[in-house]
Structure formats: C-alpha cells, structure tokens
Amino acid sequence: MIAGFLPIWLLTAVGYVTGRTRILGDQGEIVLGRFVFHVAMPAALFATLSTTSLDRFSGWAIVTFGAGTTLTCLLGFAASRWVFGRGLSDQAISGMAAGYVNSANLGIPVALQLLGNTSFIVSVMLFQVLMVTPIVLTIIDGGSRIRDFLLLPARNPIIIACVLGVVASGHVPQQVLAPCRLLGAAAVPTALITLGMSLRGRTPEPGPRSRGELAVAVALKIVVQPCVAFVLGRYAIHLSRTDLLAVVTCSALPTAQNAFIYAREYGLRTELVRNTIVASSVLSMGSLLLTTSLLSTHH
C-alpha cells in the first residue's frame, strides 16, 4: 500500500521544491501543465484505449461503480452550485474532484496489492475516460456557447485521443504504439510535478467557504463514494463478495491529478482541486485499509 502511495508523495514534493527554487523559471508550471494536457496525456489515453478491448466496459460491477461515481460527482456539483455559489465550470470541476478516482498510477498498484489483479481497474479507467471526462470537459469548455459545444471534439486533445483510440482499437501498429507509450509515460509524473509546483507560494482563498468546500469534497471522495458503492453493490445489485470488494476499493481511491490539470488548463480555481488531491491522497490510505479490512470479514 505504501509503495503505491509513495511515488505520488515524492513526485509532488519534488514539484514543490522545483517551484520553490524556480529551476524552471516563472512559467515552468504553465508549460508543464500544457505539455501534460496537450501532448503526454492524449498519448497515454490513445495508447491505453487502442490496446484495451471495450468488452471490459460491461458487467454489473462496473455499473455499480459508475452509478456510485455519478451520484458522488452530482453531489459535488450540487454542493458547489447551491451551497457555495460557484459558476458552472467550477461546479463541473468540483464534481470531478469529488468523484474522479486515481485509477492509473495509484489504482493499479493498489488493485494488485488488495485485489490480486488489475482486471476491474481497467474497466474503471475506461468508464472515467469514455464517460466522465468528456462530460466534464464539455461542461467546462463548451457549455455556454452552442458553437463552442459543437466544435469541442475537434479542438480538445483529450477527447480527440479518446475517440481515435476507440476507433483504432486493435489496429494500431507497434511502430505507432511504442512512441505513444513512451510519451504517455511522462503524463503522470509531469502532472504530479506540476501539482507540487502549484503548492509553492499560493495564498489560500480567505474565509470559511474555501475550507467548507474542501471538507465537502474530501468527505465525498473518501467517505461517501465508497459507502454509496457498498450500499448499491450489497443491497441493490447483490454483487458477489469479490466484485463488491473490487468496486468499493476502487471507489475509495483518492482524487486523480487529471482534475487539477483540467482546472489549470481552463483557468479555473485550482486551489480546491489541488488541496482535495493532496488531502485525499493522504487520508485514503487509511480509508482503503479500513474498507478492505471490513469487507474481508463481512461474510
């Protein structure tokens, strides 16, 4: 478990030191963020989707996870709108911060450690990439103007990569996949470095509203999402013990750094997302251990 979390903490710390020492200059965070959003992350998504069978994107387990994630994101969206009075784009990113799990660089090692395999975490990745991400980016990028909404798929590199990956699934030559994988491997560490750099010298938003938003987002991510997944899986859909453990464990993962990259790219309030990622990455280790311990003795 610690081995899975350690790279996140260390790379974020490296980013913080990099920002404090100004090794990359005043524009380093901006440049790295754009590199992740426009180059590395699209390459990683294309390589993943073009080599993953969409047959994984089925079954009652992923339906349960998807329902729990959707409900949690909607709760984060609603709280941002009606409790904290944020605008539409910030509402979308708040919902993402509350329910978008770190399924790649953390989900895989956690799945191997607690579940013994990565079969379900791949389904989680597909759900988030093909369903959650396009909806959130559509609200952020094109929700206010019809023309922008219609042109969104043609100018958003994340959506372009997802569409191309699905269309070309199973038909991409190794000569194309190899450089995409190599480039995509830079997405996660660079995103974490960027996240760490954003922690440098930022003045927190004053007032209790900011602290309240963070508390709500972290509670939704660490407590509500796995609890909703358990209730749905155990009492509504009646999943097997193994599937229930997989669904709840994946639901208890912390917020993914993708949410921060999207917020930074679109000029939204990054403080909430950044702090939710950091706090949930610290607290979720205890949540995961408690969850798996309880579920292991549930039957």
Side-chain angles (χ1 to χ4, degrees):
M1 180 75 73
I2 293 176
F5 279 87
L6 193 58
I8 293 178
W9 298 335
L10 289 178
L11 286 174
T12 303
V14 169
Y16 177 78
V17 173
T18 301
R20 291 286 294 178
T21 55
R22 298 184 181 275
I23 294 174
L24 301 181
D26 294 334
Q27 301 297 311
E29 179 189 336
I30 296 175
V31 173
L32 289 182
R34 288 178 177 172
F35 168 75
V36 173
F37 184 83
H38 292 280
V39 181
M41 193 176 294
L45 292 173
F46 175 78
T48 299
L49 291 175
S50 64
T51 56
T52 303
S53 173
L54 294 184
D55 292 342
R56 292 178 176 269
F57 192 49
S58 62
W60 286 113
I62 193 60
V63 168
T64 306
F65 175 86
T69 297
T70 301
L71 178 58
T72 306
C73 288
L74 288 175
L75 289 174
F77 185 97
S80 179
R81 178 182 180 88
W82 286 299
V83 178
F84 302 106
R86 300 299 184 182
L88 181 61
S89 295
D90 283 317
Q91 293 166 25
I93 208 68
S94 295
M96 194 176 201
Y100 197 96
V101 307
N102 191 333
S103 60
N105 59 309
L106 183 56
I108 290 175
V110 167
L112 286 172
Q113 177 66 27
L114 300 181
L115 305 178
N117 63 77
T118 61
S119 58
F120 183 69
I121 199 68
V122 173
S123 300
V124 170
M125 292 170 61
L126 283 176
F127 172 77
Q128 295 195 141
V129 168
L130 295 179
M131 301 293 290
V132 180
T133 298
I135 292 173
V136 170
L137 293 184
T138 297
I139 295 173
I140 293 173
D141 196 17
S144 58
R145 290 178 293 180
I146 295 178
R147 179 174 177 273
D148 287 345
F149 175 80
L150 295 175
L151 293 176
L152 175 62
R155 58 190 175 88
N156 188 298
I158 301 296
I159 296 181
I160 291 173
C162 293
V163 172
L164 291 178
V166 171
V167 171
S169 181
H171 302 286
V172 181
Q174 191 62 35
Q175 293 83 352
V176 175
L177 278 178
C180 284
R181 285 173 175 157
L182 188 61
L183 185 58
V188 169
T190 307
L192 290 172
I193 294 291
T194 308
L195 175 65
M197 292 179 70
S198 74
L199 296 172
R200 170 192 53 85
R202 295 298 175 84
T203 302
E205 182 179 330
R209 182 168 73 159
S210 175
R211 295 190 293 271
E213 278 188 287
L214 176 61
V216 168
V218 174
L220 286 172
K221 182 76 234 37
I222 299 302
V223 179
V224 174
Q225 188 171 7
C227 286
V228 169
F230 174 78
V231 171
L232 289 176
R234 178 70 177 86
Y235 299 106
I237 301 181
H238 305 291
L239 295 176
S240 67
R241 179 179 178 180
T242 301
D243 286 347
L244 184 64
L245 177 62
V247 169
V248 177
T249 298
C250 291
S251 298
L253 290 168
T255 303
Q257 62 274 357
N258 300 39
F260 169 77
I261 293 297
Y262 299 152
R264 201 219 59 79
E265 176 64 25
Y266 287 104
L268 304 178
R269 295 170 51 253
T270 59
E271 181 192 357
L272 172 65
V273 185
R274 181 188 68 221
N275 292 342
T276 302
I277 293 170
V278 173
S280 64
S281 295
V282 173
L283 297 175
S284 64
M285 188 165 73
S287 175
L288 284 164
L289 289 173
L290 178 62
T291 296
T292 53
S293 176
L294 292 175
L295 288 178
S296 297
T297 58
H298 181 69
H299 293 282

